[in-house]
Amino acid sequence: LFSGHLDPGETDIVAAYRETIEESGLQKSDLKVYDDTKKTLNYEVKGNPKIVHYWLAELINPEAKVKLSNEHQDLKWLQLKEACEIVGYKDMQDVL
């Protein structure tokens, strides 16, 4: 799922669904999210701490169309090995 900021009163998973809709157009009903797979990365961006949570999700609606927001330039569906190679960051490779 995509990353973003929590709105007041949101839980991590609710924010993840909201961000997924906003950034990809995929609805909650298009996905099967495995709640027990939450992984968290902590790192710095421009000297500020950042915490990002990820969950494993499966696209269960083959008719769903991804509509990227203006925050993104491209989309690729990849096998795990290719995704790890393209990501380039060891911590993200470990999450994958």
Side-chain angles (χ1 to χ4, degrees), residues 42-60:
N42 297 283
Y43 53 94
E44 285 191 9
V45 176
K46 297 179 183 176
N48 296 312
K50 183 163 182 146
I51 301 169
V52 183
H53 304 290
Y54 296 93
W55 288 265
L56 176 64
E58 177 182 356
L59 183 64
I60 57 172

Side-chain angles (χ1 to χ4, degrees), residues 1-2 16-17 20-21 24 26-34 56-61 64 77:
L1 295 181
F2 293 84
Y17 279 117
T20 299
I21 293 166
S24 74
L26 294 175
Q27 303 296 310
K28 186 175 180 179
S29 59
D30 294 326
L31 305 167
K32 177 180 180 181
V33 176
Y34 296 86
L56 176 64
E58 177 182 356
L59 183 64
I60 57 172
N61 178 5
W77 295 103

Side-chain angles (χ1 to χ4, degrees), residues 76-87 96:
K76 289 183 182 185
W77 295 103
L78 302 170
Q79 296 294 319
L80 178 58
K81 183 178 179 186
E82 276 185 288
C84 287
E85 290 169 0
I86 230 170
V87 120
L96 291 173

